[in-house]
Amino acid sequence: MDAGSLSSVSPSKTKSRCPLQEQFLQRRNSRENLDRFIPNRSAMDMDYAHYMLTEGRKVKENPADNSPSREAYRKQLAETFNMNRTRILAFKNKPPTAIEAIPNDCSSSVHQQAKTAKPRRYIPQTSERTLDAPDLVDDYYLNLLDWGSSNVLSIALGSTVYLWDASDGATSELVTIDEENGPVTSVKWAPDGRHLALGLNNSDVQLWDTTANRLLRTMRGGHRSRVGALDWNNHILTTGGMDGQIINNDVRVRSPIVDTYQGHHQEVCGLKWSASGQQLASGGNDNLLHIWDRSVASSNTSTEWLHRLEDHTAAVKALAWCPFQGNLLASGGGGGDRSIKFWNTHTGACLNSIDTGSQVCALLWNKNERELLSSHGFTKNQLTLWKYPSMVKTAELTGHTSRVLFMAQSPDGCTVASAAGDETLRFWNVFGTPEVAKPSPKANPEPFAHLNCIR
């Protein structure tokens, strides 16, 4: 509709307009409303004009009724109601007050929501620190990096294990393994942040007290080849080897082997216990992903898996349990697969699958936001931050010049360390700064609490 044509507005459309808005009158014939020199009828006081044309004329025609007291009263009344105007038809310079599109109560709630909306987090695109990592073994199937609860990072460089204290940046050497037994093929901190487990190339597993710098025990005989995957479930140390076996070891007893899981035909390269400690996820070079249930484990015979998932088309190393949904598992495939898949471990159903375009080496969940971080190989050798569940890319972090094999998360969940085949260790502030906990309100003390109780 042409905005300048008033005659084309239908009555039905006029009635359907929003209230409190100016409506345009429709001419019935060509002889009505011909006063086109008046630009705006809403600027005129028609009531006052009607009074002046009727009552005002009577006052002028009957001067006898116009006594001084009556005239004074009329002037005071005119001043009070702003009727001292000589022109009936006049322009108003002040524009009309704009009509609010949203009522005051609604607009205030909108403003309040805008203020309470969380601002978008800034994600630095470069690493905040880079350390040299010479002799880091460039092997996709190993796990050579971990960050403990005491804020100490452990990394295996060849046959030597180093400790880096994140609080002061101090570096110390824990142990160097003999050439006949090394190199170190996996490292994993115990939940206490003091004890460190090492998997070796000769199939041995060592347990170290890092505070006393002392070897506590060496577990032998469980595996027949190198141990490339480790994970803890309280006092149970789970080990995965090139022989395809998964063994639960109770480190408190003399004979540590308590459970054995057999389901992989090739090397086990990924092991992750759920937060509840009831389910174990294992990935192998046979492209298989298994879910094991702790409640049905047995030391006498090999335990049957709960789910055998065969959707990946390459080795499954990257595993990460969701921190906000206990039965949600993310898994990443190797160079021939290049996908991240999400699983409901109660039913074994694949919930989603995303093609990342490159080898998936490691996965980490953000503990504070619904985000997932993945590290990749050729061609970009990048870290990618995904928004879950939409899996929209939030950021891509580049800097490594070779595939990013390992990732570890700081105890506060904000900083991520990545180690790559380019023999560098980089630290990324990808998950934001730690939130300062608000102090809990102090409870009101009981009256006379400082006095002895009356017996």
Side-chain angles (χ1 to χ4, degrees), residues 59-315:
V59 171
K60 291 182 179 180
E61 291 176 355
N62 301 320
D65 296 337
N66 195 8
S67 62
S69 59
R70 186 183 296 272
E71 185 66 24
Y73 173 74
R74 187 179 293 110
K75 289 183 179 180
Q76 186 177 1
L77 189 65
E79 292 177 0
T80 303
F81 291 99
N82 193 23
M83 297 174 65
N84 286 329
R85 293 179 295 176
T86 57
R87 296 179 60 189
I88 299 176
L89 306 176
F91 294 99
K92 286 188 177 181
N93 295 327
K94 186 177 180 180
T97 305
I99 301 174
E100 293 187 3
I102 304 176
N104 291 330
D105 53 349
C106 297
S107 60
S108 61
S109 62
V110 171
H111 291 312
Q112 186 175 3
Q113 291 178 1
K115 290 181 180 179
T116 57
K118 192 174 182 179
R120 185 174 181 180
R121 187 177 79 254
Y122 169 71
I123 302 174
Q125 299 298 303
T126 58
S127 58
E128 60 180 2
R129 179 178 296 191
T130 303
L131 303 179
D132 289 330
D135 300 326
L136 181 71
V137 179
D138 188 357
D139 193 329
Y140 176 80
Y141 303 101
L142 306 184
N143 293 273
L144 305 179
L145 180 69
D146 195 28
W147 203 329
S149 59
S150 59
N151 206 20
V152 177
L153 185 140
S154 62
I155 184 171
L157 303 178
S159 297
T160 304
V161 177
Y162 293 92
L163 305 179
W164 183 79
D165 194 334
S167 58
D168 56 8
T171 304
S172 61
E173 179 182 329
L174 178 64
V175 61
T176 298
I177 305 299
D178 298 336
E179 292 184 3
E180 56 189 24
N181 297 325
V184 179
T185 52
S186 55
V187 297
K188 191 65 179 180
W189 285 100
D192 60 6
R194 174 177 177 176
H195 298 93
L196 182 67
L198 308 179
L200 304 183
N201 191 59
N202 69 341
S203 76
D204 289 350
V205 178
Q206 295 184 352
L207 183 61
W208 284 80
D209 184 346
T210 59
T211 304
N213 200 22
R214 182 168 62 95
L215 175 63
L216 298 179
R217 67 180 302 177
T218 301
M219 291 173 282
R220 298 185 175 94
H223 295 279
R224 298 185 301 272
S225 55
R226 72 178 185 181
V227 179
L230 300 170
D231 201 23
W232 288 88
N233 186 1
N234 293 324
H235 55 272
I236 299 296
L237 173 62
T238 304
T239 61
M242 185 181 279
D243 55 9
Q245 284 197 106
I246 301 172
I247 299 175
N248 285 343
N249 301 273
D250 190 340
V251 298
R252 304 170 299 175
V253 298
R254 182 181 295 273
S255 300
I257 299 177
V258 292
D259 303 314
T260 302
Y261 302 148
Q262 292 184 353
H264 292 281
H265 308 299
Q266 297 186 35
E267 181 170 15
V268 177
C269 51
L271 282 177
K272 280 293 185 298
W273 279 101
S274 63
S276 64
Q278 293 301 313
Q279 290 186 330
L280 172 69
S282 65
N285 192 31
D286 50 8
N287 309 343
L288 295 178
L289 171 62
H290 285 100
I291 306 298
W292 311 85
D293 195 332
R294 179 78 173 91
S295 60
V296 298
S298 174
S299 59
N300 298 327
T301 60
S302 59
T303 303
E304 184 73 12
W305 57 80
L306 180 64
H307 299 294
R308 183 187 183 101
L309 309 173
E310 304 177 357
D311 293 31
H312 283 288
T313 58

Side-chain angles (χ1 to χ4, degrees), residues 362-395:
L363 293 172
L364 287 175
W365 286 96
N366 187 342
K367 297 179 181 179
N368 302 316
E369 303 285 344
R370 292 178 178 257
E371 295 174 337
L372 181 69
L373 182 68
S374 58
S375 68
H376 299 272
F378 183 80
T379 60
K380 293 183 179 180
N381 305 313
Q382 83 280 15
L383 281 72
T384 303
L385 185 64
W386 309 83
K387 192 71 177 176
Y388 183 83
S390 64
M391 293 305 289
V392 174
K393 288 184 182 180
T394 304

